[in-house]
Amino acid sequence: MGKLECLYDTLDVLCPMHVILNATGHVVHAGPTLRKLRPDATMTGARFLELFELNRPRRVSSMDQLLETQGVKLHLRFRDEPQTTLKGVLVPSPEDGGAIINLSFGISILDGVRDYALTSADFAATDLTIEMLYLVEAKSAAMEASRKLNQRLQGAMIAAEEQAFTDTLTGLKNRRAVDHILPRMIENDKEFAVMQMDLDFFKAVNDTMGHAAGDHVLQQVAKILVEETRDDDVVARVGGDEFVLVFSNVKRRAILSDIASRMISEIEKPMVFNGENCCISSSIGIAMSGETTPLTVAQLLADADTALYASKHKGRACHTFFDPGMVDEIACAMSENGAKGRAASG
């Protein structure tokens, strides 16, 4: 092996992004990594200043001027696409008037690795670039692990929140969910409606057929309520046989009346459990946010409950919209019932 070949092999290992120039400024040898940046081009024999454009120092157009940059950091880039920017330092070759220029990516190393699919094998073993690549790889792995962990934590939080707001028997929302949702709907200042529903004769099912039958009835009622409402409506079980439904962006009573009538009709159909019919009905009270004063969660639920009581008083299996006059009527009815009870006991 000749002296030049030994030099080339040595430089290929120590600085794989170098070029060796002759006295006329033409490339006589290029390191393997530099050749990898332009796999379809032949660097050997090309004039260095035709391959690269010097940004600093400027106005370098000849080999003599290039040699004057000895020891100065060179800022250059490829003239053809992609115009990757590089850093370099020149060392003159006293024997033939040529030079050796060692190049590197500098702070654009990550772009270089990405654009040219470089690996640690493309750099000298002692090059700090290797350490940077390891750090970047470790950081990427850590960020990916952190992202997956955050996704799992977020999923767990969502699941926990969903569980906290869900009635385990029916899969509907629970009272906690209603107490969380209604204040937000009031803040949004959009009209909505609240239905309060109570099942008629449900206690009789529990007492005569057992709690398993009662649970079956509640699950069937939940299914009916979900089928008769929209995805963005809220359907919640807030007590043993008590339900609250919240309808967003509904202003017309006729729409709510149709929904209530359909639900009552479906719930009145016998529900079979272990070969026996479970017969119940339902009563509904409806309060409109635009008609509630003051508009608070407590007042909305109180108005819906008052309307529900009116439905029960009318004979059950019906729905009633809240009207302020109901308050006095219900108070009188309760007073009369109390008087009758006292008279009967006396």
Side-chain angles (χ1 to χ4, degrees):
M1 182 182 292
K3 183 178 179 181
L4 283 179
E5 285 75 11
C6 288
L7 174 63
Y8 296 164
D9 290 344
T10 300
L11 291 177
D12 284 351
V13 173
L14 295 179
C15 41
M17 284 186 65
H18 75 281
V19 287
I20 299 177
L21 310 181
N22 61 19
T24 61
H26 290 77
V27 176
V28 296
H29 181 76
T33 301
L34 191 61
R35 293 197 301 268
K36 190 173 182 179
L37 305 190
R38 290 296 185 271
D40 299 326
T42 302
M43 291 189 179
T44 303
R47 187 167 175 262
F48 179 81
L49 292 175
E50 291 177 352
L51 292 173
F52 299 95
E53 175 187 356
L54 257 68
N55 295 320
R56 289 204 305 269
R58 294 182 178 277
R59 293 182 293 277
V60 175
S61 59
S62 67
M63 184 58 180
D64 290 338
Q65 292 174 333
L66 190 59
L67 289 172
E68 292 176 359
T69 66
Q70 174 185 355
V72 176
K73 182 186 290 187
L74 305 177
H75 296 256
L76 61 160
R77 66 179 180 178
F78 281 103
R79 290 187 181 273
D80 62 339
E81 297 293 336
Q83 291 186 308
T84 306
T85 58
L86 300 170
K87 303 292 187 296
V89 62
L90 179 146
V91 177
S93 177
E95 294 182 0
D96 58 5
I100 300 173
I101 303 177
N102 191 27
L103 301 171
S104 71
F105 288 102
I107 62 174
S108 61
I109 176 60
L110 298 183
D111 294 334
V113 170
R114 179 197 63 211
D115 295 341
Y116 300 105
L118 301 179
T119 67
S120 59
D122 295 308
F123 301 91
T126 57
D127 195 329
L128 290 179
T129 299
I130 301 298
E131 305 298 329
M132 182 179 292
L133 291 178
Y134 287 151
L135 289 174
V136 169
E137 184 176 350
K139 180 181 178 182
S140 298
M143 290 179 66
E144 179 63 16
S146 177
R147 184 184 67 82
K148 290 181 178 178
L149 177 60
N150 286 335
Q151 285 181 334
R152 290 197 295 270
L153 290 174
Q154 186 175 12
M157 289 174 61
I158 292 173
E161 183 176 280
E162 188 67 24
Q163 185 176 7
F165 287 159
T166 301
D167 175 59
T168 55
L169 176 64
T170 62
L172 301 178
K173 295 287 189 283
N174 58 18
R175 180 174 292 279
R176 181 182 296 180
V178 172
D179 292 339
H180 179 74
I181 292 168
L182 282 180
R184 294 187 176 185
M185 298 193 72
I186 292 174
E187 290 176 5
N188 288 337
D189 198 27
K190 292 182 179 179
E191 290 192 32
F192 61 95
V194 174
M195 279 188 186
Q196 189 110 326
M197 173 187 286
D198 187 77
L199 301 184
D200 307 319
F201 315 113
F202 177 75
K203 186 176 184 299
V205 172
N206 262 341
D207 291 345
T208 60
M209 301 178 65
H211 290 290
D215 289 348
H216 175 72
V217 167
L218 291 173
Q219 290 169 340
Q220 294 305 305
V221 169
K223 183 178 179 181
I224 292 170
L225 299 185
V226 170
E227 289 175 349
E228 294 295 338
T229 53
R230 302 167 300 179
D231 290 342
D232 55 349
D233 294 329
V234 178
V235 183
R237 178 185 174 220
V238 297
D241 62 340
E242 300 173 4
F243 298 84
V244 168
L245 297 90
V246 183
F247 296 86
S248 59
N249 298 317
V250 176
K251 302 178 181 179
R252 294 174 55 195
R253 287 193 174 194
I255 295 175
L256 293 167
S257 184
D258 288 342
I259 296 172
S261 296
R262 288 199 306 269
M263 290 191 296
I264 292 170
S265 176
E266 288 297 317
I267 290 172
E268 279 189 309
K269 294 178 181 179
M271 301 175 188
V272 180
F273 179 76
N274 287 343
E276 296 186 56
N277 287 335
C278 304
C279 297
I280 62 169
S281 63
S282 59
S283 300
I284 296 175
I286 307 172
M288 309 287 288
S289 66
E291 301 172 8
T292 298
T293 305
L295 183 54
T296 64
V297 173
Q299 190 62 53
L300 266 171
L301 294 176
D303 289 353
D305 190 59
T306 298
L308 171 61
Y309 185 89
S311 294
K312 293 277 191 182
H313 189 66
K314 287 190 295 186
R316 299 186 174 92
C318 63
H319 67 275
T320 305
F321 286 89
F322 173 77
D323 182 272
M326 291 178 179
V327 177
D328 293 336
E329 293 176 8
I330 291 173
C332 290
M334 292 179 66
S335 178
E336 290 175 4
N337 289 337
K340 290 178 181 179
R342 287 191 297 273
S345 62

